[in-house]
Amino acid sequence: MSATPVSTSASTSTRKKVTTLTYRHKKERGEIITMLTAYDYPTALAMDKAGIDSILVGDSLGMVVLGYENTLPVTMEEMLHHCRAVSRGAKTALLIGDMPFMSYQVSVEEATRNAGRFLQHGGMDAIKLEGGRERADAIRSIVSAGIPVMGHLGLTPQSVNQLGGFRAQGKTAVAAKRLIEDALILEGAGCFSIVLEAVPERLAELIAKKISIPTIGIGAGVGCDGQVLVTHDLLGLFERFTPKFVKKYANFHDEMQKAFSDFIEDVESKRFPAQEHIVEMDDKEWEALLKEVNA
Ligand code: KIV
């Protein structure tokens, strides 16, 4: 970090804070909702300035930032730590904290208490949790505590072991019917929105038509009311694999690696630091110092 910043850039946004009401109005008007994941302050700041509607501090954190094999090891403490960083960067977007594995499955009381921590200690506006009808009681309780809930159906990564891998869902008539039922149950339980992950496009479109709350798609086609991507996929920062449904807008992993190689080369060849990177000392002061140390 340099002592003298080269430039300062404060957010000049005059956008109004996005709320769950904005979500509802956007669906009513047929306007598309945008969402991206973020896990840190600078990314959240850039997204907010770009005009994103909502930021999800996803438990994808575990894979794309913390290097876990899947999302299962992520803890409440890890989530809250990153939620706070995001909330310091984004002032306009609706902020949604993702409840990690085993923070809402054991009991309704624990689910409600942990959901509350995202608002009290994480700076979030809402929470997201995975699952269908089996989560209805927890959702009802969290909503009754005044906490907006986003549901998540289809490919639910916390159930990767039950699903037999990261695979598309709702591809048979029976599975699709169950997904439609689950979406209606989540709407009835009080969710303000539902993420639909890796489900056939026409099924996602049918669900979006059947429920009055917005659906946010990831690998679910254009028929949803909004779209979300994991930012590290979109930026090409996560190098392990890229799901089929991701559009890569940059290749930051390669960019980073090149910048680091260039730095190493510059340092080793003494091209860095150069004249413009150093601190000067007045000749008079220097002479005085030499007199002192050589005396
Ligand atoms: O954790 C996450 O990033 C998510 C998105 C894939 C929706 O749940």
Side-chain angles (χ1 to χ4, degrees):
M1 177 82 55
S2 67
T4 322
V6 176
S7 67
T8 55
S9 53
S11 175
T12 51
S13 170
T14 51
R15 285 197 310 140
K16 268 180 42 194
K17 172 76 185 169
V18 179
T19 66
T20 55
L21 214 59
T22 320
Y23 254 53
R24 191 188 326 149
H25 291 157
K26 279 201 137 189
K27 172 148 185 161
E28 283 164 7
R29 294 190 207 114
E31 293 169 10
I32 298 293
I33 298 164
T34 55
M35 180 158 93
L36 282 171
T37 65
Y39 320 96
D40 59 47
Y41 167 83
T43 311
L45 182 64
M47 277 175 194
D48 219 34
K49 285 182 176 181
I52 199 84
D53 288 321
S54 42
I55 296 177
L56 171 69
V57 185
D59 66 347
S60 47
L61 164 80
M63 295 176 75
V64 301
V65 174
L66 303 179
Y68 298 141
E69 194 61 33
N70 53 44
T71 58
L72 303 186
V74 178
T75 65
M76 276 297 294
E77 276 58 42
E78 285 166 340
M79 287 305 300
L80 292 175
H81 176 75
H82 288 270
C83 283
R84 284 192 288 273
V86 166
S87 75
R88 288 190 284 269
K91 301 297 172 202
T92 304
L94 177 71
L95 302 181
I96 303 149
D98 209 3
M99 296 195 69
F101 182 54
M102 295 315 283
S103 68
Y104 58 95
Q105 289 90 341
V106 175
S107 73
V108 166
E109 289 73 25
E110 209 169 286
T112 312
R113 194 168 304 114
N114 280 328
R117 293 179 70 197
F118 276 91
L119 275 68
Q120 272 194 311
H121 308 299
M124 297 289 102
D125 304 311
I127 62 97
K128 176 172 86 57
L129 53 77
E130 299 180 5
R133 61 200 71 197
E134 69 282 8
R135 300 289 157 241
D137 288 343
I139 292 167
R140 267 190 289 274
S141 172
I142 296 168
V143 170
S144 74
I147 301 166
V149 177
M150 175 177 266
H152 185 157
L153 295 172
L155 169 52
T156 46
Q158 290 175 17
S159 308
V160 60
N161 292 318
Q162 207 167 36
L163 301 176
F166 295 104
R167 53 180 68 237
Q169 300 296 308
K171 288 176 74 173
T172 65
V174 173
K177 183 165 171 279
R178 194 173 163 87
L179 264 177
I180 296 170
E181 289 166 6
D182 278 339
L184 288 165
I185 290 169
L186 292 197
E187 179 182 29
C191 283
F192 74 93
S193 174
I194 301 174
V195 166
L196 295 177
E197 179 164 353
V199 299
E201 183 173 49
R202 46 186 159 179
L203 171 62
E205 191 174 354
L206 184 62
I207 292 174
K209 286 194 178 125
K210 277 192 178 287
I211 61 177
S212 63
I213 56 174
T215 56
I216 309 295
I218 175 164
V222 290
C224 293
D225 304 297
Q227 296 293 328
V228 58
L229 278 180
V230 170
T231 295
H232 284 52
D233 290 335
L234 169 157
L235 293 178
L237 258 174
F238 183 63
E239 81 310 335
R240 247 169 60 204
F241 61 88
T242 306
K244 172 184 183 305
F245 52 74
V246 168
K247 179 171 176 183
K248 256 192 184 180
Y249 289 82
N251 211 330
F252 278 14
H253 178 79
D254 291 356
E255 287 275 322
M256 271 202 316
Q257 197 177 328
K258 178 168 183 329
F260 299 148
S261 302
D262 289 351
F263 170 77
I264 293 165
E265 217 180 288
D266 275 0
V267 169
E268 287 176 351
S269 63
K270 296 204 165 206
R271 276 196 303 270
F272 177 82
Q275 202 57 31
E276 65 269 30
H277 305 122
I278 61 166
V279 177
E280 296 285 4
M281 188 171 173
D282 207 65
D283 283 350
K284 224 172 77 197
E285 295 299 330
W286 181 243
E287 296 305 331
L289 173 71
L290 288 184
K291 250 189 227 163
E292 282 288 327
V293 296
N294 293 331

